[in-house]
Amino acid sequence: MKNLLTDIAGVRVGHSGNMKVASGTTAIIFDQPAVAAIDVRGGGPGTREVSLLDVANTVERVDAIALSGGSAFGLDAGGGVQAWLAEQGRGFRVREAVVPVVPGAIVFDLLNGGDKAWGRFSPYRDLGYAAAASAGTDFALGSVGAGLGATTATFKGGIGSASAVTVNGIKVAAIMVVNAVGSVTVGDGPWFWAAPFEENGEFGGRGLPPAFTPDMLAMRIKGGPAASERENTTIGLVVTDAILSKAQAKRLAMIAQTG
């Protein structure tokens, strides 16, 4: 176990990014089509092909998931992932037609200082293709892929991953793009709110502060008092090797929102 999404057999992850644009894309590729469902809580979602994930609809399985920066422009990343899969002959078959199924979601990173004057077409389709082509079992964390342009109220955001095994041997893993409206640290740091869940010193082993001051507990909002709730998004994917129906996957997605 590497504490990564790819601890689930048959899952590969690839990143691509554009430093000038300060944004990027992450592709999660399934070696075999996977049962999938979605739960959306945000009031301003940016998603692609999620109607297919409704439990009432026909398509049961997906070939890949595209996560991207770029707000609505980043939805083009799914087309790039789809193009790569089509080259591999992957997809949902309707007689002689083959259509790769690639749902996706985006984060809002358009105000992070990168050069977004990309001309007529955004770079995200090409970024999606590159991410899919690079997918493997080892992948970077932090300011890469869909997390390249992510921010929080106090520190740079990014992409993270974790995995675990239940007492009866079922593996569960997650990958998250953290572009949160709030702060991941207690005050200005160096303590992380997630310290109780730290594994192997991944946050520096600092734990929580010995005491909490009013300043540490004060709300910190990205962009300050004039910020819009549309300036943040946190998206991700949970994968398990448990055998689930589409309806059960939907319930798992709902439960995962609590985490």
Side-chain angles (χ1 to χ4, degrees):
M1 298 286 284
K2 300 178 181 179
N3 204 32
L4 295 174
L5 190 78
T6 49
D7 285 329
I8 308 297
V11 181
R12 292 177 290 121
V13 175
H15 300 306
S16 65
N18 184 315
M19 297 302 294
K20 180 181 178 182
V21 175
S23 188
T25 293
T26 295
I28 298 97
I29 306 294
F30 302 106
D31 291 343
Q32 298 295 328
V35 172
I38 190 171
D39 186 53
V40 178
R41 301 288 175 91
T47 53
R48 165 196 159 100
E49 292 275 49
V50 295
S51 293
L52 290 173
L53 303 180
D54 189 294
V55 295
N57 288 335
T58 302
V59 176
E60 292 284 335
R61 298 171 185 266
V62 304
D63 299 294
I65 301 288
L67 304 178
S68 184
S71 188
F73 298 103
L75 295 175
D76 287 347
V81 177
Q82 189 177 48
W84 183 84
L85 287 164
E87 289 179 350
Q88 318 308 310
R90 291 282 309 277
F92 182 76
R93 293 185 176 273
V94 183
R95 296 200 301 275
E96 64 272 18
V98 180
V99 182
V101 180
V102 186
I106 50 83
V107 298
F108 183 95
D109 60 2
L110 298 181
L111 299 177
N112 64 1
D115 180 6
K116 305 304 191 291
W118 47 60
R120 176 172 293 181
F121 298 111
S122 83
Y124 291 100
R125 184 176 65 173
D126 290 337
L127 289 172
Y129 183 94
S134 70
T137 54
D138 290 312
F139 59 95
L141 302 176
S143 293
V144 293
L148 178 60
T151 57
T152 72
T154 52
F155 284 94
K156 183 72 179 65
I159 196 163
S161 190
S163 65
V165 183
T166 68
V167 292
N168 54 350
I170 293 172
K171 292 181 180 178
V172 183
I175 189 168
M176 301 299 298
V177 183
V178 180
N179 187 53
V181 70
S183 173
V184 297
T185 59
V186 180
D188 293 324
W191 311 277
F192 286 83
W193 288 112
F197 306 102
E198 182 176 19
E199 291 191 16
N200 303 315
E202 60 190 341
F203 306 143
R206 297 178 176 89
L208 291 171
F212 289 85
T213 66
D215 180 65
M216 289 177 179
L217 299 175
M219 183 178 294
R220 287 168 167 78
I221 297 296
K222 181 162 61 180
S228 163
E229 68 278 3
R230 294 181 296 275
E231 295 177 16
N232 64 280
T233 8
T234 294
I235 57 174
L237 178 69
V238 175
V239 180
T240 179
D241 60 5
I243 298 173
L244 301 178
S245 67
K246 198 174 180 181
Q248 289 170 327
K250 169 70 174 181
R251 180 57 56 181
L252 178 61
M254 293 170 67
I255 294 169
Q257 290 276 16
T258 304

